Structures are given as structure tokens and as C-alpha cells.
Amino acid sequence: MILDLHTHSIKSDDGRAKVENYCQWIRTRELPIDGFVLTEHRQFDLESDYSKLAADFGLTILKGAEVETEYGHVLVFGVTAPLLEAFDFSDIHLPLARVIEACAAYGAVPVPCHPGRKRVGMSAHLAEYGVPDGVRIVETLNGGSRDNEDAVAQAMADELGYRGIGGSDAHIVSHVGRCATRFPAPITSEQALVEALNGGEFEAVSFRDA
Amino acid sequence: MSQLDIEALKKEWVGVQFEERSFVLDPQNMAEYASACGEVAACYTDPTDPDFQAPPTFASSLQRGRGLPEHFPKMPGLGMDAGKAVEAFAPIRPGPKTSRTHMHDIYAKTGRSGRMIFLVIRMALYDPDGTHVANADTRVVIRERPTEEDQA
């Protein structure tokens, strides 16, 4: 199963894609992905229910979040009500340690995203803050990366022993599925995604040249 | 210079109304706007159509007057247009209208270029009977200049 683990819809302030349009694009363009995770900026979208859309298009549509820390942006998978109480998702100065601690306490998985990017990527802050405890997975393939950002991310992951995921970071419809993550078994819920990430059997894949 | 305190700014300014205007929408202007947008439906382009109304995005063109509240703090960088958004609640018909504009939201985010501050200014459009016709949001982004601490 292949999931794009990093997408934004119009629920994000800079997102220009409706979820239904992502589904239409994936099917009409016959993209090689089976679904995607909506990781809206600085929030978790509690209100939207995409189950009918997912059924209509035969896709897996899950929800996560992208929060902002001193080490840059971090995807959070497996968001639950207690986790939402644990820290303020809208705070752009979250301590990464607090995010990691809360994720561990409430069964979520934190994944620093586009870590090779300056200012908002983890690698840019290692010299100042050191290697953070508790990071196990980073986004090594990001569909919005420029220049050598993904190479920097992969080099950091290799050096520090992190596993890598892929996500498109799509904000517009035509960018969905540029990068994704391949899992050995089907994933149909946020909980199953957390278990799969914790299991460690996955690989980042790129379809940018497809 | 330390970074601008967004929470304090929000507390002081979000919800503050700083403009109220009354004006009359001219059907010819509305029709010309629709044609310029490529509309072909008579309800948008023909003022004699019984259902004549402006396209919803017309609301965005009605922002006038002050862009920010009086005495609003000077922002630490250059402001740029970060997009418009319209919420349509009822057809925009010709005739008298009232608009009220307030600071709707202030937030910050981080990106490749550093911290950015967003101001969301909302103009609410009303019919004479008080019907809330539309909201037109204008978003302004300020790319914050690096502080001395950042540059150290």
C-alpha cells in the first residue's frame, strides 16, 4: 500500500486543494498511490469526515497535523483528543521535546518533515540545539523540496539512523502523490498508520519523474 | 529588537472594527465586472434579468478606505497581498449596501524565509434590512526582518 503522508487541503491557510479534487486527480491521472494523509498546518481537523469520499473513490483518507517547533516543522500521526490537550497545535514555537513526549504518552508518531530545508527543517538547527532525543523517523522525500534539500535530509537520516518516509507536501491538486510511503500491508485508519510506522516496515518513494 | 508579540497583538486588535461605509451598487458596474471575469450567464451580465446579481467575488472589489485600524502598530517588514477570500451568504443585488470592516485574525507561521505575520481583514457586507450578504477577507503577509539575535 502506498500513501502520500503529507498533504494540505483548503483547511490550511495556504492550501488551495479541496479533498474531493485530490481524489479526482488521483483517479483520473491514475496515480500509483492508494490514499493520502491530510496534515493541516498548526491544527488538527476534527470536524471533517472524509469516509464517504474515501469509499466513493476507493482511497484511504486519513488525518494528521503539521506543527512548528524550534527544530522546524513536524508531522504528527495518530492525533487524538488527549494529544490535542497536551500542547497548543497553533503555537509556532513549540519545543520539539514536548511534542515528542506528548506523542509518546498518547500513542502518536512525530516525524520532522522536510528536514533538509533551511529554517523550517531539522538539520538546520542541529548545530544550535544538538541532536534531539526521541526522533526515529524523518521525511526524507518531500515533494516540495528544492535543490539538494532531500539529499541533506537523507544524509542526516543515514548519519543519525532515522527511518524515512515520503510525502508530497501538496498544497495544490496537481502536486499530490509526488512522493509517498510504501507499506507492506493495507492501512485504513490513523491507528493502523501509527502501528505501521512504529513497526518500521516502510520506505519512502518518489514519483516526481513519473 | 525582539520579535513582535503575536498573542498580545491578537488580544488587542482582533475583532476591532475600523471602517463602516454606506454606498449604492450600480447594476452597470456589476455587469461590467461579471463580463470582465468571463461570466456569460444573464443573471450576472444582464441588469434586466429578474435574478440579476453580482458574482460572489465582486464582494472583494468593494474594500475601500483604511487598510488597517488607526494606531495599528508598525509592522516589522514589508506587507504584501497574501490573497483574497469570499464567503457568500445571499445574492449581491444592486442598490444600497453597508460594509463594516474589522481585524479578523492575526497569526504567524514559519517558512523558508523565516517568520511571517499574517493579518486577515474582513469586510462584512449587508443589505439595508440587515441581511448579511457576504464576507470578503483580505490577507496581508509581512515577512519579518531578521532580529539582531537571529543574525548573531
Side-chain angles (χ1 to χ4, degrees):
Chain A
M1 177 162 211
I2 299 177
L3 292 177
D4 180 343
L5 294 185
H6 188 170
T7 64
H8 300 274
S9 76
I10 52 173
K11 289 276 178 182
S12 288
D13 66 314
D14 56 355
R16 295 291 175 266
K18 291 181 181 172
V19 178
E20 182 174 6
N21 297 142
Y22 275 142
C23 297
Q24 291 166 335
W25 186 267
I26 290 166
R27 287 310 182 207
T28 56
R29 296 285 169 146
E30 300 179 343
L31 299 188
I33 64 172
D34 302 294
F36 52 94
V37 183
L38 293 153
T39 49
E40 310 295 3
H41 287 294
R42 302 177 302 282
Q43 61 177 303
F44 179 72
D45 176 14
L46 273 169
E47 62 188 9
S48 302
D49 178 359
Y50 298 116
S51 54
K52 183 176 184 309
L53 211 50
D56 288 349
F57 284 89
L59 291 165
T60 294
I61 306 174
L62 304 177
K63 296 189 289 188
E66 181 176 356
V67 299
E68 301 184 18
T69 76
E70 82 277 32
Y71 279 91
H73 295 187
V74 178
L75 300 174
V76 180
F77 301 108
V79 178
T80 55
L83 187 69
L84 287 167
E85 296 295 318
F87 60 85
D88 178 2
F89 278 48
S90 69
D91 183 354
I92 66 167
H93 301 295
L94 284 168
L96 177 60
R98 191 163 152 212
V99 173
I100 289 173
E101 185 185 3
C103 286
Y106 297 109
V109 177
V111 177
C113 52
H114 39 70
R117 192 169 298 174
K118 69 178 186 176
R119 288 196 173 90
V120 290
M122 183 178 142
S123 67
H125 303 282
L126 292 177
E128 184 177 4
Y129 301 126
V131 177
D133 291 330
V135 173
R136 295 176 294 112
I137 307 168
V138 296
E139 185 186 55
T140 48
L141 290 176
N142 177 288
S145 288
R146 298 177 192 163
D147 306 322
N148 66 340
E149 288 175 352
D150 279 352
V152 171
Q154 187 62 59
M156 184 193 75
D158 291 342
E159 185 184 340
L160 298 175
Y162 300 146
R163 297 198 61 82
I165 64 160
S168 67
D169 204 355
H171 289 70
I172 59 174
V173 169
S174 60
H175 286 183
V176 70
R178 282 181 163 187
C179 297
T181 305
R182 180 182 285 120
F183 296 92
I187 291 169
T188 55
S189 69
E190 280 85 2
Q191 185 55 38
L193 175 59
V194 165
E195 287 167 14
L197 290 169
N198 285 332
E201 276 194 68
F202 52 84
E203 65 171 335
V205 288
S206 175
F207 298 109
R208 272 178 290 209
D209 299 325
Chain B
M1 191 180 86
S2 62
Q3 282 193 327
L4 199 62
D5 183 342
I6 299 299
E7 286 309 311
L9 204 63
K10 280 176 78 164
K11 199 171 174 184
E12 185 172 358
W13 292 99
V14 168
V16 171
Q17 182 183 316
F18 57 92
E19 186 84 5
E20 178 164 345
R21 295 171 52 240
S22 293
F23 49 91
V24 176
L25 292 185
D26 173 50
Q28 206 54 47
N29 286 348
M30 293 162 61
E32 284 171 10
Y33 174 90
S35 296
C37 292
E39 292 288 356
V40 291
C43 67
Y44 295 129
T45 59
D46 180 1
T48 65
D49 188 277
D51 191 32
F52 181 68
Q53 59 187 283
T57 54
F58 184 68
S60 260
S61 72
L62 301 175
Q63 287 266 26
R64 299 281 191 284
R66 295 194 65 86
L68 290 171
E70 202 171 0
H71 308 304
F72 191 74
K74 184 172 167 53
M75 291 287 100
L78 184 65
M80 294 174 284
D81 192 328
K84 305 278 194 289
V86 170
E87 278 181 296
F89 305 120
I92 304 173
R93 309 285 189 193
K97 294 282 179 286
T98 298
S99 69
R100 298 190 190 99
T101 304
H102 70 277
M103 181 64 71
H104 184 66
D105 197 9
I106 301 171
Y107 62 95
K109 61 193 275 190
T110 53
R112 278 190 178 94
S113 58
R115 192 169 86 145
M116 294 167 285
I117 300 165
F118 287 77
L119 309 176
V120 183
I121 295 115
R122 173 166 292 179
M123 184 207 70
L125 186 67
Y126 298 92
D127 277 335
D129 65 0
T131 300
H132 189 175
V133 176
N135 285 331
D137 289 354
T138 298
R139 209 170 287 255
V140 178
V141 59
I142 295 104
R143 183 183 157 194
E144 203 165 39
R145 292 190 192 99
T147 65
E148 289 170 9
E149 291 165 20
D150 290 336
Q151 291 174 318

